[in-house]
Amino acid sequence: MYKKASFAVLIVATIILVGSGCVFGQVLNIAIPQDPDSFDPVKTVAAATGEIAFNIYEGLVKATPLGEVEGALASHWTVDETGTIYTFYLRHALFHDGTKVQEEDVAFSLNRARDPEVAVRASELDMIEDVNVVDEGIEIRLSEPNGAFIYSLSEVYASIVPAHAGDLSRKPVGTGPYYLDEWTPNQQLALRRFDHHWSGETPYFEEANFLLIPDENSMVLNLKAGRVDLIPRLEVGVLHQVERDPDIEVLSVPMNLVQVFSINNARAPFDDLRVRKALALGVNRPEILIGAAWGLGTMLDSALSPAMAGFYNDSLAEVNPYDPAKAKELLKDAGQENLKLTLTLPANYPLHVQTGELVAEQWKALGIEVDLQIVEWGTWLERVYTQRDYDVSVIGLAGRLDPHAILVRYTTDSSRNFFNFSNERYDALIDLGIKTVGRERREVYLEAQAILAEELPGIFIMDPPQLAAMKKGIQGFKNYPTYVVDVASLYR
Amino acid sequence: MLTAIVVSIVTFLVLQVLPGDPARLMLGTEATPEVYARVRHELALDQPPLGRYLNWFWGFLRGEWGNSWRYSMPVRGLALQAFPLSFSLGLSAVGLSLLVAIPSGIFMAIKPASLLARALSVATQVSFGLPQFWVGLLLIQVFAVELRLLPAGGNASPLGLLLPTLTLALPRSAILGRFMRAGMAEAMQQDYVRTARAKGLAGGVVIYKHALRNGVLSVFTIAGLQFAQLLAGTIVIEQVFGLPGVGQLLLAGVFQRDLPLVQALVMVIVLFILLFDLLFDLGLGLLDPRIRYE
């Protein structure tokens, strides 16, 4: 009798323990295809890092799902009448190691981020002349007014780290709602909730594990088997495997990525606008959307995604409509009826490869001979991006919060202008845009987008869909115009 | 030893010849030319190749394997994490293959006309022909999604290695089974087997004592090769099951042109294989007294 009773007690105790485990130690498992590069905010370049770092680091300001910025470590800030002196005032906030965030940490972090000897993207902060600690605040002086400045403070590279921090690449110390507990390459990154976040809010999940699963089919099976709760970026090719699963929910949101056929504008015969125009008129975008993105993407007529609502030019739809007859005519005019071109595609992006293959067929219908070359990423970066030794290629250009960061790559002197595009009026507009604030700034970028649509450094195709697949019951998924997963907003 | 040096030179040269610049891969598409030049300098990519190779080689000998460019952590730590996994996976897969292959091979050899032997023969052919990633996905679907018996991936628990082991063992046991059958069938026709039979030994003794010892030699040789191959990692299986083995590490290293990582991994693999070859030859000598080393 006594034995039986103790056995019953044991069972009840087990149930309580297991049950309470479900209440307290909430764990979220997120599938990602590849490892981050480095968690040092000024050294990382991989989108895979930014996606996770968003939860670990914070800047003076941070991006909102609507693409605006709001105060993060800065509670508020002021701008003087010249538009060149910003003063930021800090909240009471703690780093993950328990030390208080001081004005000196901010100055240290920003000076480090704009130092070309350490920071990879120092040039993005070169509008800053000086960072000084003044009474109760941080004063940042700019060389001239700059519309993109406040947005750049929300980027990973402008994250605030402690001045006493050691090597951050493997052991990040930030102020975000989660901290990195353990990182085992090719296996997983374990994030834990930081219970002293300045907001005083407690995110639902105590642990968030980013599990590395490179194979997209396996990712889906892991979701179905319950090992994974969330796939933030599902390959569109495996969507059909989860679409009808009643236990899985899929959200489709714009990615704020501009998929573009880049054309080498410096190479004959593509230096002839008629040839570029013919290529553009020969592209049937609705067909590509269905063929490569299951009809889920957003068609693009501009170098900006409609996700950039404040600056997007929505009147360009009729500039390059699908018109194969006109395209053939233009090729004839240009004396290029027997045009041959090489289309170089980056093998690691199935979407771009598929898009390229579809368009190759459409161009063949115009009598163009298309030689498809599928190359590995390292080769693509070297040949297409660096040496600019190519005819036509397909790539996705990541969206940013501010249009300048996206549009500046089409200026003549930009090192990122692998289009070899050059247009005086355009260069002047981009110069003007950065110095302009308010409503006029929008007008400048509308015209700049119109020039790109007319002059065709490349052919804009779509903003691909971002598919977030999650177990039924996971709530609060927030879509940002930047490449992040906001773990703190999720709950079950 | 010479083999190892030659392999290291070839690896180095291949990484030089491949298009793609490590500094550019590290920096992605946003860096300025100044930053690019600085990183190239930091990685010593602006030095002549011969000097870089000798530097690396000298460092490797002294146990200084450097930092991985891709993971910004010591190469040695990465290798120490990946090799044990690939080692145990290889060992269990080959072990399981042998456990399946030896009895089924013997059976196919001594009772070739039986229904079971024919079924086994078909089964080996089929399992040899199936693509591994597909088998892996199928096993996940059945055991993790439908039955919920085993984890779908990862190596958090030893159970997680069960499905990848099965996936790897399937085609390997098929190959080994075929070799076992052929070896046995050949041995059974040898004079000494006939003699043994003629002097009236029981069938079981003839088979297990006389024929098996000769028939199994080729099977062990192949199994040894299979194990050596698995040590170098199995990219497809590691990707499907999300396992942090040597294959994935090597793949990431090659994609990023991560010279320190790739060089060190290749060297460890080569040294392992050389060592293994030696042990294996010695082992075969024990099994087959005819093999002698001068």
Side-chain angles (χ1 to χ4, degrees):
Chain A
M1 188 60 215
Y2 180 71
K3 251 185 187 170
K4 264 189 187 165
S6 64
F7 188 61
V9 168
L10 196 70
I11 290 180
V12 171
T14 313
I15 292 174
I16 291 174
L17 274 175
V18 171
S20 62
C22 294
V23 179
F24 294 112
Q26 287 290 355
V27 179
L28 180 74
N29 291 306
I30 304 166
I32 50 170
Q34 56 178 327
D35 263 307
D37 51 356
S38 154
F39 276 108
D40 188 331
V42 307
K43 293 202 167 135
T44 171
V45 296
T49 307
E51 181 170 42
I52 299 169
F54 180 81
N55 301 291
I56 299 175
Y57 287 120
E58 288 168 321
L60 287 171
V61 299
K62 69 174 181 187
T64 70
L66 291 174
E68 288 150 359
V69 290
E70 62 181 20
L73 288 176
S75 58
H76 62 288
W77 61 93
T78 57
V79 191
D80 79 333
E81 65 277 7
T82 65
T84 57
I85 301 175
Y86 284 68
T87 313
F88 293 87
Y89 300 92
L90 290 184
R91 293 178 204 276
H92 176 79
L94 296 180
F95 286 114
H96 294 151
D97 63 5
T99 53
K100 186 174 174 292
V101 180
Q102 312 268 10
E103 283 74 10
E104 287 74 17
D105 297 311
V106 177
F108 167 81
S109 305
L110 293 179
N111 282 329
R112 190 165 175 265
R114 65 198 191 90
D115 176 0
E117 286 300 308
V118 235
V120 168
R121 292 163 77 167
S123 63
E124 302 211 16
L125 287 177
D126 60 11
M127 71 288 260
I128 298 182
E129 197 133 88
D130 215 4
V131 182
N132 284 307
V133 178
V134 293
D135 37 58
E136 314 281 297
I138 302 110
E139 184 186 271
I140 301 180
R141 283 172 185 273
L142 309 184
S143 43
E144 50 189 347
N146 188 307
F149 167 66
I150 194 75
Y151 293 98
S152 55
L153 289 185
S154 73
E155 300 268 2
V156 179
Y157 54 72
S159 299
I160 304 305
V161 298
H164 58 265
D167 182 11
L168 296 163
S169 59
R170 304 287 308 173
K171 297 202 174 349
V173 182
T175 58
Y178 287 86
Y179 64 91
L180 181 65
D181 189 35
E182 207 184 351
W183 176 10
T184 322
N186 282 324
Q187 189 177 355
Q188 71 160 347
L189 294 104
L191 265 55
R192 269 174 189 276
R193 190 170 63 203
F194 177 49
D195 287 323
H196 306 288
H197 189 253
W198 54 262
S199 66
E201 284 165 23
T202 310
Y204 179 81
F205 289 104
E206 193 177 321
E207 286 175 47
N209 297 316
F210 288 80
L211 306 178
L212 279 129
I213 309 175
D215 182 272
E216 67 260 23
N217 289 298
S218 176
M219 233 186 223
V220 168
L221 289 175
N222 274 274
L223 179 65
K224 288 185 173 178
R227 183 171 168 247
V228 161
D229 303 303
L230 168 67
I231 305 178
R233 289 162 217 284
L234 186 75
E235 278 296 334
V236 70
V238 292
L239 174 63
H240 63 279
Q241 295 184 22
V242 289
E243 245 175 345
R244 285 194 212 99
D245 192 318
D247 300 324
I248 293 173
E249 197 175 352
V250 183
L251 299 178
S252 172
V253 292
M255 213 183 256
N256 192 14
L257 183 92
V258 173
Q259 189 195 32
V260 58
F261 273 75
S262 62
I263 305 176
N264 192 344
N265 282 240
R267 179 179 281 188
F270 310 105
D271 52 349
D272 185 337
L273 179 59
R274 288 172 297 184
V275 175
R276 300 202 297 274
K277 185 88 178 168
L279 292 177
L281 296 183
V283 173
N284 183 345
R285 268 170 289 181
E287 198 179 287
I288 298 169
L289 246 64
I290 293 167
W294 297 67
L296 291 171
T298 313
M299 261 196 276
L300 282 187
D301 308 291
S302 165
L304 292 186
S305 157
M308 309 267 310
F311 297 96
Y312 173 67
N313 187 335
D314 59 3
S315 66
L316 302 172
E318 286 312 307
V319 181
N320 298 302
Y322 178 52
D323 189 345
K326 181 90 185 292
K328 273 188 186 170
E329 215 171 278
L330 281 167
L331 284 176
K332 204 172 167 190
D333 275 3
Q336 292 293 336
E337 291 135 300
N338 302 313
L339 179 64
K340 281 184 200 168
L341 64 85
T342 305
L343 181 55
T344 312
L345 305 172
N348 52 327
Y349 294 105
L351 176 72
H352 301 329
V353 172
Q354 267 176 31
T355 304
E357 286 167 348
L358 287 168
V359 169
E361 288 308 312
Q362 296 170 359
W363 282 343
K364 280 177 191 166
L366 303 178
I368 301 172
E369 199 176 302
V370 183
D371 176 20
L372 280 178
Q373 264 188 16
I374 301 179
V375 299
E376 171 254 9
W377 182 237
T379 313
W380 190 92
L381 271 179
E382 173 94 7
R383 235 186 258 161
V384 178
Y385 195 81
T386 311
Q387 296 170 356
R388 303 182 186 175
D389 175 16
Y390 73 106
D391 290 347
V392 184
S393 183
V394 187
I395 195 64
L397 301 173
R400 310 280 286 275
L401 290 182
D402 186 76
H404 177 80
I406 303 172
L407 295 176
V408 70
R409 73 159 67 244
Y410 300 93
T411 54
T412 309
D413 295 331
S414 167
S415 63
R416 297 186 276 148
N417 179 2
F418 63 105
F419 304 85
N420 281 323
F421 179 69
S422 179
N423 182 294
E424 267 178 48
R425 173 73 186 148
Y426 184 83
D427 293 354
L429 282 171
I430 297 301
D431 257 2
L432 178 64
I434 192 73
K435 294 173 202 156
T436 318
V437 269
R439 189 172 282 267
E440 290 143 48
R441 188 161 186 242
R442 178 182 141 85
E443 296 299 322
V444 172
Y445 290 126
L446 290 185
E447 191 189 339
Q449 289 171 71
I451 292 179
L452 294 182
E454 302 278 353
E455 297 292 323
L456 293 162
I459 305 161
F460 306 106
I461 305 293
M462 68 168 118
D463 183 356
Q466 180 194 336
L467 302 173
M470 59 200 88
K471 255 198 264 175
K472 266 261 154 62
I474 302 275
Q475 315 263 333
F477 184 85
K478 276 191 193 161
N479 169 46
Y480 286 76
T482 46
Y483 200 100
V484 301
V485 176
D486 185 359
V487 177
S489 70
L490 295 169
Y491 58 96
R492 184 159 5 222
Chain B
M1 205 60 232
L2 189 69
T3 323
I5 294 174
V6 171
V7 169
S8 76
I9 294 176
V10 170
T11 314
F12 185 82
L13 286 179
V14 166
L15 283 174
Q16 299 299 310
V17 172
L18 276 182
D21 177 336
R24 181 60 67 186
L25 277 160
M26 261 174 108
L27 294 174
T29 54
E30 307 291 321
T32 59
E34 294 76 35
V35 174
Y36 170 71
R38 174 175 61 74
V39 170
R40 273 187 73 87
H41 180 71
E42 281 173 10
L43 302 181
L45 289 170
D46 49 359
Q47 310 281 319
L50 182 67
R52 287 165 49 213
Y53 173 78
L54 291 177
N55 257 341
W56 170 81
F57 191 74
W58 179 229
F60 185 84
L61 288 185
R62 284 178 305 159
E64 285 169 19
W65 297 3
N67 265 334
S68 154
W69 298 343
R70 165 71 178 81
Y71 294 99
S72 40
M73 66 180 284
V75 166
R76 202 206 300 248
L78 288 165
L80 274 177
Q81 183 211 328
F83 274 104
L85 179 79
S86 287
F87 191 88
S88 46
L89 198 58
L91 209 60
S92 57
V94 174
L96 180 64
S97 307
L98 283 171
L99 280 182
V100 176
I102 293 178
S104 62
I106 295 175
F107 186 78
M108 284 189 285
I110 58 179
K111 291 242 166 33
S114 70
L115 203 63
L116 183 61
R118 284 183 196 182
L120 277 172
S121 173
V122 172
T124 55
Q125 266 174 19
V126 170
S127 53
F128 181 54
L130 294 175
Q132 287 205 15
F133 77 93
W134 185 80
V135 173
L137 290 174
L138 197 73
L139 288 176
I140 299 178
Q141 174 77 40
V142 173
F143 290 100
V145 179
E146 305 289 341
L147 300 175
R148 306 219 162 216
L149 283 175
L150 294 169
N155 58 342
S157 76
L159 275 182
L161 292 183
L162 205 56
L163 291 182
T165 301
L166 270 179
T167 316
L168 288 170
L170 196 65
R172 283 169 183 79
S173 61
I175 295 172
L176 294 178
R178 301 230 124 196
F179 273 94
M180 190 68 227
R181 183 180 70 173
M184 270 311 265
E186 201 192 322
M188 297 289 283
Q189 284 166 14
Q190 298 294 323
D191 291 345
Y192 59 83
V193 170
R194 210 176 311 144
T195 313
R197 281 232 165 106
K199 71 180 179 186
L201 286 179
V205 178
V206 174
I207 290 165
Y208 296 111
K209 194 144 186 228
H210 291 78
L212 179 62
R213 197 155 163 185
N214 290 285
V216 86
L217 277 181
S218 60
V219 173
F220 278 125
T221 313
I222 304 293
L225 287 175
Q226 289 182 342
F227 177 69
Q229 182 209 8
L230 288 178
L231 249 193
T234 49
I235 292 168
V236 174
I237 295 304
E238 285 171 24
Q239 295 213 325
V240 166
F241 289 98
L243 295 173
V246 178
Q248 284 219 58
L249 204 54
L250 205 51
L251 187 73
V254 170
F255 274 151
Q256 206 76 12
R257 312 284 187 267
D258 186 343
L259 203 76
L261 181 62
V262 176
Q263 288 273 81
L265 289 181
V266 170
M267 283 308 272
V268 174
I269 293 170
V270 169
L271 292 176
F272 251 130
I273 289 178
L274 291 177
L275 180 74
F276 184 75
D277 251 11
L278 184 70
L279 292 177
F280 190 76
D281 286 347
L282 293 176
L284 271 191
L286 288 180
L287 204 62
D288 183 351
R290 284 171 304 175
I291 301 174
R292 285 279 173 270
Y293 300 98
E294 298 297 320

